[in-house]
Amino acid sequence: MKKTFLMLIFAGVILNCAAQKISETKTGVKVGTDAAQPFLFSLNTLTAENPRWNIHYSGSYGERTSGQFGYDGLGQQFGLKGYLGSRFTLYATAAIGFANSGGITSAQQAEVRDLVGGKDIAGFRLGAGLGVNRDWSGIGAAISRMTASFDQANWRIAGNLRFEKAFDKTRDKLDFITSFGFQHRVSSVLYLGFEALGQDLEGFWEKDEAEGGTKLMIGPSINLEPNQSKLSFSISGGPVFYATRSNVIPSEAIREIGSVASGNGYTIRALVNFNLHR
């Protein structure tokens, strides 16, 4: 756990130094934010004011965690996000995992979200959408996600509530995942804050929860958005705790902080986003 926070603090120092170097040659502060994906565990919905298409790459490392972003070993993910017009956002990902024990697996996910409240970059936005995924074991699932965010000139918050129904009788009837993030602008290009995640919340009332129980994570969040650059960078992670446990062998469902059989762990995830239109 100490290693996790030391790595995050070190990354923050590097990003802060880079931000100071960049801001020395840039003046003024942007009003609002046009970040395509500032958080790592909470997705936002794009608007007509931010119709750009983006591609991103993210890598993660985890100990005693397994899954999409908290893979036990090295995990990698490639994604595409863009505005389809008429208030719809497309988000698609393909993930590859290289396990510490050997072997390579993959998972895919795609969803479309509609902006049902708030049409501007600044202020409150509310979205809802549907999608499908294929997990590490080849089992498909239908997903639904509600998103909410509030953006101002110097700070922003975002939260998600995700529902998942796997097409397999050995899985839970319905899975619940929630996340929340907050970031404050500390310079013209640098944001600092935290992110929290609650995974498989049905473990609070289901003793045989299929992913091993309810997991929680909270840790620092850093986002760097250089002015006039196509690139932006984010990093987040922290300790992973069990809130409840079940005796079921964990499935290979797509999860941000994974499914573990015993013990707590940690995960660190970093993302590089490339704006195709800037």
Side-chain angles (χ1 to χ4, degrees):
M1 188 182 301
K2 292 182 179 179
K3 184 192 299 183
T4 303
F5 286 105
L6 287 174
M7 291 178 67
L8 289 170
I9 291 172
F10 179 69
V13 171
I14 293 176
L15 289 175
N16 187 43
C17 291
Q20 290 177 355
K21 292 291 185 181
I22 294 171
S23 61
E24 286 175 359
T25 59
K26 305 293 181 180
T27 58
V29 177
K30 294 177 290 185
V31 177
T33 177
D34 58 359
Q37 188 55 49
F39 297 101
L40 290 175
F41 301 105
S42 290
L43 302 180
N44 59 355
T45 302
L46 302 178
T47 73
E49 289 190 356
N50 187 21
R52 305 176 180 90
W53 283 83
N54 302 264
I55 56 176
H56 72 252
Y57 164 80
S58 62
S60 66
Y61 184 80
E63 289 288 351
R64 298 185 301 280
T65 66
S66 61
Q68 183 186 17
F69 305 139
Y71 199 80
D72 193 4
L74 176 65
Q76 301 186 72
Q77 184 193 72
F78 301 89
L80 173 69
K81 184 177 183 180
Y83 187 68
L84 297 176
S86 299
R87 303 187 302 180
F88 285 95
T89 297
L90 171 67
Y91 182 74
T93 63
I96 303 174
F98 300 88
N100 285 337
S101 58
I104 301 174
T105 55
S106 65
Q108 302 81 39
Q109 180 169 295
E111 57 184 290
V112 175
R113 293 190 303 281
D114 180 25
L115 184 68
V116 296
K119 299 180 181 181
D120 302 324
I121 293 177
F124 178 73
R125 281 181 283 168
L126 181 67
L130 298 172
V132 294
N133 68 37
R134 173 188 171 277
D135 69 19
W136 302 98
S137 62
I139 294 176
I143 57 178
S144 176
R145 187 192 304 264
M146 297 184 64
T147 67
S149 62
F150 195 91
D151 293 66
Q152 291 295 297
N154 293 317
W155 58 273
R156 57 193 172 205
I157 59 175
N160 286 184
L161 178 59
R162 174 179 156 188
F163 308 91
E164 180 177 300
K165 172 59 181 176
F167 304 129
D168 187 278
K169 62 181 181 180
T170 64
R171 300 287 181 86
D172 299 312
K173 294 181 179 179
L174 193 64
D175 293 295
F176 300 87
I177 301 169
T178 186
S179 60
F180 177 82
F182 169 83
Q183 290 178 348
H184 176 71
R185 187 197 299 270
V186 295
S187 76
S188 63
V189 296
L190 182 65
Y191 290 80
L192 298 179
F194 71 91
E195 290 193 63
L197 182 68
Q199 183 174 284
D200 295 305
L201 300 180
E202 69 279 3
F204 283 116
W205 58 85
E206 294 181 5
K207 295 182 179 180
D208 58 347
E209 200 283 316
E211 281 69 53
T214 299
K215 276 76 66 180
L216 304 174
M217 187 215 77
I218 185 168
S221 175
I222 305 169
N223 176 242
L224 176 64
E225 301 175 25
N227 291 321
Q228 308 303 318
S229 174
K230 290 179 176 290
L231 296 173
S232 60
F233 310 89
S234 296
I235 185 170
S236 184
V240 177
F241 301 103
Y242 262 92
T244 69
R245 293 182 181 273
S246 69
N247 295 322
V248 177
I249 298 176
S251 74
E252 295 187 69
I254 296 175
R255 291 294 183 267
E256 282 79 358
I257 54 175
S259 303
V260 297
S262 62
N264 297 314
Y266 70 87
T267 186
I268 301 174
R269 187 181 176 206
L271 179 144
V272 178
N273 185 79
F274 183 79
N275 190 319
L276 296 176
H277 296 278
R278 180 171 290 177

